[in-house]
Amino acid sequence: MAKIVFSAVQPSGIPTIGNYVGAIKNWVGLQDEYDCIFSIADLHTLTVRQTPAELRARTLELLALYVACGIDPEKCVLFAQSHVHEHAELTWILNTITSVGEMQRMTQFKDKSQKHAENVNMGLMDYPVLMAADILLYGTEFVPVGADQKQHLEIARDLAMRFNSRYSPTFVVPEPLIPKCGARVMSLQDPSSKMSKSDLNLNGFISMDDTPEEIVKKFKRAVTDSDSRVCFDEQSKPGVSNLMTIYALFTDKTVSEVEAEFDGVGYGDFKQRVGEAVAETLKPIQKRKADLLNDKDYLFSILKSGAEKASYIAMKTLRKVYKKVGLLQI
Ligand code: AQP
């Protein structure tokens, strides 16, 4: 039997090219080799205040994006997290073996608590436990994610081992799959922080829906440095290095090939070409996504069949867990 891969993206905004190269793009390459389960993490999204109608629309858009990027619903299980109630239920059980202190130490919790100081809710702190439940429900071996999720993956591993040793072997201990290049695409406006779809500065990220004109304009405005050489040095030239990484990923070149290609080229032309390369790659994806959104029945049928398949596996795991912790079965 093939090993199981699980990953998810939150419908917390239009995904960025960071979500694409850090996660979704890599999923496409895994679907022939593994049993892949890809979710839309809508419950996670509620940890930050949302407009309900927008959240519903973005959930369907994210599904359309998955398929438009090349995720095949015939090969993979695609579903929305809230359609499989076992995610919330396993979270409760895992909460009882998680300490408050370890959650308070999570980098994302600290960052998001600062960013959303008016709404530091329990869900925000519990985010990594829900993520652990997502992963552990399916016997997941590999979790393809960007580098920002490494710490949360560690928690999922710790909780799996803790449960296994407290009760008896139950969960597979998952491994992260973090890409060598593109694991952390940085903001175009602040190369010291990662590109995020919920960034209030729209110039900081390229969304998967941006038009070619918007893309080129945002790259032209990208923060670089006062030097003029296009060379890779993440310490002293983080902005330029980020753009080089993006160009390499969108043209399937190595960073040294990119360095050679732009030897002697000024920042203006360089940024223009990065923008054009990204726009060119996104164009067919955007077209497919728009076509898919015109066929809502098809999208709902994917979600329905995905939820059925995911529920079947999740229900079996949860039943085992309930029994092991001592909940009476009827
Ligand atoms: N900048 C990034 N570079 C590489 N990978 C990234 N990922 C996110 N940002 C980058 C990866 O995308 C996947 C889905 O992430 P998510 O939506 O579940 O949550 P996130 O990591 O919090 O992503 P965002 O875009 O920053 O969302 P918001 O703004 O809502 O918090 C993960 O695999 C992640 O590693």
Side-chain angles (χ1 to χ4, degrees):
M1 227 176 69
K3 292 190 169 164
I4 295 170
V5 161
F6 176 94
S7 198
V9 172
Q10 298 181 75
S12 48
I14 306 293
T16 70
I17 56 168
N19 301 126
Y20 177 63
V21 297
I24 305 171
K25 185 174 183 241
N26 306 311
W27 301 355
V28 179
L30 297 169
Q31 56 188 345
D32 288 322
E33 200 178 330
Y34 298 100
D35 279 343
C36 292
I37 305 176
F38 298 125
S39 182
I40 297 164
D42 51 357
L43 294 175
H44 275 105
T45 306
L46 297 176
T47 57
V48 170
R49 209 158 286 150
Q50 303 292 325
T51 306
E54 277 177 19
L55 175 57
R56 275 190 287 273
R58 283 198 308 256
T59 301
L60 221 48
E61 285 210 26
L62 184 52
L63 173 69
L65 181 67
Y66 285 178
V67 179
C69 287
I71 312 283
D72 183 348
E74 299 294 323
K75 291 183 189 158
C76 310
V77 175
L78 298 182
F79 74 103
Q81 188 185 30
S82 63
H83 295 164
V84 179
H85 55 79
E86 284 82 358
H87 289 249
E89 291 176 71
L90 181 58
T91 300
W92 182 255
I93 302 294
L94 295 178
N95 273 337
T96 65
I97 60 164
T98 305
S99 74
V100 172
E102 59 190 336
M103 293 299 99
Q104 283 170 330
R105 284 196 292 276
M106 292 289 107
T107 310
Q108 183 179 290
F109 173 64
K110 288 194 259 182
D111 288 351
K112 291 211 167 168
S113 301
Q114 266 184 1
K115 217 163 134 192
H116 305 281
E118 76 304 337
N119 182 25
V120 183
N121 60 76
M122 287 302 292
L124 197 58
M125 190 159 85
D126 209 24
Y127 187 110
V129 182
L130 177 57
M131 181 166 155
D134 297 341
I135 296 165
L136 301 182
L137 272 175
Y138 299 101
T140 305
E141 299 258 359
F142 299 115
V143 187
V145 282
D148 62 313
Q149 293 298 334
K150 192 164 184 268
Q151 197 180 35
H152 291 167
L153 236 296
E154 275 305 316
I155 290 290
R157 288 171 56 81
D158 288 349
L159 291 177
M161 290 188 271
R162 202 172 297 167
F163 189 96
N164 289 350
S165 76
R166 192 164 302 180
Y167 298 99
S168 64
T170 308
F171 295 122
V172 173
V173 180
E175 299 279 346
L177 283 183
I178 296 176
K180 284 199 181 70
C181 186
R184 194 186 294 272
V185 174
M186 308 311 278
S187 157
L188 299 185
Q189 289 299 307
D190 172 11
S192 68
S193 60
K194 77 157 190 147
M195 183 180 282
S196 266
K197 59 177 120 56
S198 60
D199 191 344
L200 294 177
N201 185 348
L202 300 185
N203 286 318
F205 62 90
I206 304 290
S207 104
M208 294 296 286
D209 275 0
D210 281 347
T211 63
E213 295 72 32
E214 284 168 331
I215 294 172
V216 169
K217 210 195 280 173
K218 286 186 186 180
F219 275 111
K220 286 256 176 191
R221 288 186 184 151
V223 169
T224 45
D225 50 56
S226 54
D227 187 24
S228 59
R229 283 168 316 121
V230 178
C231 62
F232 193 84
D233 181 342
E234 281 179 315
Q235 296 307 317
S236 64
K237 295 166 77 70
V240 169
S241 302
N242 187 38
L243 299 184
M244 291 175 77
T245 303
I246 294 171
Y247 186 78
L249 286 160
F250 279 84
T251 54
D252 283 327
K253 291 180 180 158
T254 63
V255 168
S256 23
E257 284 169 337
V258 175
E259 213 160 33
E261 185 175 337
F262 290 102
D263 186 27
V265 175
Y267 281 176
D269 288 344
F270 166 58
K271 288 174 170 181
Q272 172 84 25
R273 278 169 52 194
V274 179
E276 286 168 358
V278 171
E280 206 48 44
T281 305
L282 296 196
K283 222 185 276 169
I285 297 177
Q286 292 172 343
K287 164 88 177 66
R288 281 197 294 275
K289 182 182 161 197
D291 290 344
L292 284 157
L293 282 168
N294 281 328
D295 191 354
K296 299 261 180 348
D297 287 349
Y298 174 59
L299 294 176
F300 275 102
S301 74
I302 296 175
L303 287 178
K304 199 158 176 282
S305 122
E308 275 164 17
K309 290 181 201 152
S311 294
Y312 179 73
I313 310 170
M315 181 254 299
K316 286 207 296 197
T317 308
L318 190 72
R319 202 179 281 161
K320 234 190 285 177
V321 168
Y322 274 7
K323 197 167 165 197
K324 292 200 184 193
V325 299
L327 301 179
L328 182 67
Q329 318 277 298
I330 50 167

